[in-house]
Amino acid sequence: MSRSQQRQGPIVRRHGQVQSTTTDQRLLESRGETGWVHTDPWRVLRIQAEFVDGFGTLADLGPAITVYGSARTKPGARYYDDAVRMGRALAEAGYATITGGGPGLMEAANRGAFEAGGTSVGLAIELPFEESMNEYVTLGINFRYFFVRKVMFMKYAQGFVAFPGGFGTLDELFEALTLVQTKKITSFPIVLYGRDYWTPMVTWLRETVSAEGCLSPADLDLFTITDDVDEAVAFLSAQSRKLRS
């Protein structure tokens, strides 16, 4: 092989990109720099490992609903108590509850599922300012990467409930809506819980975003709004059965 060209598996290096040692030499070399463990190719393996762990852990989960909501809502607040009732009602309806595993409304939904004897799943993310896993999670995974975690939220859920929340909740909600709108995933039911909280956003979507032609009127039918836990669970169950039939 000419030293002006070097093949490394699927990689071709030529001219100035040719390396002086082989892959095996670098693998077996016990000395030298350790910074390679922080490089992008090494990160790919970590990403792969997170997908393998997530798929392997959740593959046998069964029917589940993902519940989004603020990490800042305190116990005793209205939506906290509602999220507890939501987790309990989902467990009684035969669903596992999946949350981000953190405090606030995530904790509340996990608590309801846990206290009802259901499966309480927490998909936590490594953050510098938030607890990693609440005490009511019975099956938890800690993720380094947001995008891997998001796949798990979507892949193993038969529906989504968005309680009031901030940027994280909005990010997850609009990603779910986008995937349904573009038919990248099955048209799963989406519930916005809390009329007072969500109605101003829906009004803006209808009167500004849709009016400007950036959404079609049918896109506003991709979700339902409610203040009633039983109504939300009944809607999720009915839509899930319809999609399975």
Side-chain angles (χ1 to χ4, degrees):
M1 178 184 63
S2 169
R3 295 310 295 171
S4 63
Q5 177 171 303
Q6 181 183 50
R7 293 186 180 276
Q8 298 176 312
I11 309 301
V12 175
R13 294 181 180 275
R14 289 175 175 161
H15 306 296
Q17 293 295 317
V18 172
Q19 296 179 337
S20 60
T21 59
T22 67
T23 302
D24 282 341
Q25 282 178 294
R26 291 190 296 277
L27 174 65
L28 297 173
E29 175 60 63
S30 61
R31 300 184 299 271
E33 295 293 331
T34 60
W36 61 274
V37 300
H38 304 295
T39 62
D40 285 344
W42 184 250
R43 289 190 182 100
V44 170
L45 296 179
R46 286 180 173 170
I47 292 166
Q48 181 183 32
E50 290 204 349
F51 275 115
V52 169
D53 287 342
F55 292 157
T57 301
L58 300 175
D60 297 321
L61 181 62
I65 300 295
T66 293
V67 179
Y68 305 126
S70 175
R72 304 184 185 194
T73 305
K74 304 300 182 184
R78 171 195 167 190
Y79 288 120
Y80 185 98
D81 292 340
D82 287 353
V84 172
R85 289 191 286 115
M86 181 68 73
R88 182 181 301 119
L90 289 172
E92 291 169 351
Y95 292 100
T97 294
I98 302 174
T99 80
L105 295 176
M106 294 176 283
E107 173 191 287
N110 285 135
R111 177 178 175 178
F114 173 79
E115 292 177 348
T119 302
S120 178
V121 180
L123 307 181
I125 188 71
E126 181 183 286
L127 293 175
F129 52 82
E130 191 171 295
E131 298 175 24
S132 60
M133 195 80 69
N134 68 68
E135 63 181 307
Y136 300 104
V137 168
T138 59
L139 181 63
I141 308 173
N142 283 298
F143 292 95
R144 285 188 177 93
Y145 301 100
F146 265 114
F147 59 88
V148 179
R149 181 187 187 225
K150 286 181 175 182
V151 170
M152 303 305 154
F153 278 143
M154 301 293 171
K155 180 173 176 59
Y156 294 101
Q158 278 69 55
F160 310 99
V161 179
F163 274 83
F167 286 151
T169 300
L170 293 171
D171 173 49
E172 290 152 352
L173 168 62
F174 279 106
E175 178 155 18
L177 286 168
T178 300
L179 291 172
V180 172
Q181 178 204 45
T182 56
K183 302 188 186 305
K184 298 297 287 186
I185 61 173
T186 305
S187 185
F188 292 165
I190 298 173
V191 173
L192 307 185
Y193 190 92
R195 289 185 182 278
D196 291 344
Y197 189 86
W198 294 112
T199 295
M201 183 193 77
V202 175
T203 300
W204 172 72
L205 290 174
R206 181 176 61 253
E207 296 183 358
T208 301
V209 181
S210 181
E212 289 287 339
C214 298
L215 287 176
S216 69
D219 292 333
L220 298 177
D221 296 328
L222 297 178
F223 54 83
T224 188
I225 306 178
T226 185
D227 280 322
D228 186 283
V229 169
D230 293 334
E231 180 182 337
V233 174
F235 172 78
L236 292 164
S237 297
Q239 293 299 310
S240 295
R241 285 194 299 271
K242 186 184 299 183
L243 291 170
R244 292 195 300 267
S245 62

